Amino acid sequence: EAQVLAHSKLEIAEIAPSPTGEQIAFETGPVSHREENPADYEMFVVAPHGGDARQVTHNQGLESHLTWSKEGKRIYFEVHAGGGSIEGPYRDVQGRLYVMDAATGAFTRLGAAFEGSWDDFTVTSDDGVLACGLTGTEEHLYRVEKAKFETVGNDPGTYAKVNAARDGQGLIFTHSTINSPTQVYFADERTGLPGAKAITAFNPVFAEQAQVEWEPYKWTSKDGTSVEGV
């Protein structure tokens, strides 16, 4: 008894129902999976009972990770590094975060003051944004508000796959370092990341092997950009 809600000549690559049940957002992509035309990647909104889908983006970027605000009026999304730009002609930039009015299509860039690359994010139960940001060889966790940001998780290594509870303060994420494999962590409160506990213990043999010594190294590129490696 499946019912068709919307048609598209392109692949429907991502589907995000609003928490209020009033709208469904989806992102299209090329059926071939070849990234050849930015116009293949656009966001649409359709009513839950079906009908004509309304296109809400018209840009040169590849939107992803569609996430509704709690009241179902705004859509948060990201454009990954190398995924074009929604702010003008196509050009590859570092990962960026946005929030868009679902009715008008007007969007605002979030965390614009961050000099690194935004990689993943989650919307908390109070409509706040927590995002993983990469600078140099480290990827930390930040609270993002409009153009500003502040660190909430800065243990050495890489934070990723962050996901906040729909209700309450709970937070899960993955973390890894050069000498420790990726594990899933749980924090009772979004402000209590230093006390987060690992809830997985994958690859225990890793700790039995020789632990490599390493250190970060910085140099300056020809155009004056600071570059970091290991």
Side-chain angles (χ1 to χ4, degrees):
E1 299 179 356
Q3 176 186 354
V4 176
L5 301 182
H7 293 275
S8 174
K9 65 179 181 180
L10 296 166
E11 179 181 76
I12 295 178
E14 192 172 333
I15 303 171
S18 72
T20 60
E22 298 175 351
Q23 301 181 87
I24 300 172
F26 63 90
E27 177 80 6
T28 59
V31 175
S32 67
H33 292 189
R34 294 194 299 268
E35 295 182 3
E36 297 175 330
N37 183 8
D40 291 342
Y41 298 85
E42 298 292 358
M43 194 187 311
F44 295 78
V45 172
V46 67
H49 51 73
D52 292 333
R54 176 171 56 90
Q55 185 172 342
V56 291
T57 60
H58 302 78
N59 57 57
Q60 296 285 298
L62 283 59
E63 307 93 354
S64 64
H65 199 162
L66 312 186
T67 306
W68 287 89
S69 62
K70 194 169 185 179
E71 85 285 358
K73 302 296 183 183
R74 295 170 295 154
I75 302 174
Y76 296 88
F77 63 95
E78 61 185 314
V79 175
H80 285 296
S85 172
I86 71 168
E87 300 169 38
Y90 188 96
R91 64 188 182 98
D92 284 334
V93 296
Q94 292 179 302
R96 295 182 176 182
L97 301 177
Y98 298 91
V99 61
M100 183 184 67
D101 185 303
T104 66
F107 64 86
T108 301
R109 183 179 167 190
L110 302 175
F114 187 62
E115 294 183 353
S117 181
W118 296 117
D119 187 40
D120 191 17
F121 76 95
T122 187
V123 178
T124 61
S125 58
D126 59 356
D127 261 351
V129 175
L130 296 178
C132 301
L134 175 66
T135 55
T137 60
E138 298 279 325
E139 186 159 0
H140 294 162
L141 191 59
Y142 301 86
R143 180 181 293 107
V144 181
E145 185 175 358
K146 296 182 180 178
K148 299 180 180 180
F149 61 93
E150 63 175 328
T151 307
V152 295
N154 59 356
D155 287 340
T158 298
Y159 290 82
K161 306 295 183 183
V162 58
N163 203 318
R166 294 180 180 178
D167 297 297
Q169 296 282 316
L171 185 72
I172 59 173
F173 56 91
T174 65
H175 186 267
S176 63
T177 69
I178 288 180
N179 285 327
S180 58
T182 301
Q183 306 294 354
V184 179
Y185 288 79
F186 172 76
D188 291 321
E189 298 182 7
R190 297 189 290 270
T191 56
L193 264 65
K197 295 180 173 57
I199 56 176
T200 60
F202 298 124
N203 299 319
V205 71
F206 201 97
E208 301 171 9
Q209 307 304 311
Q211 298 293 295
V212 64
E213 294 183 3
W214 66 278
E215 61 179 319
Y217 174 72
K218 292 184 179 181
W219 66 96
T220 302
S221 182
K222 292 187 297 184
D223 62 358
T225 301
S226 178
V227 186
E228 184 174 338
V230 172

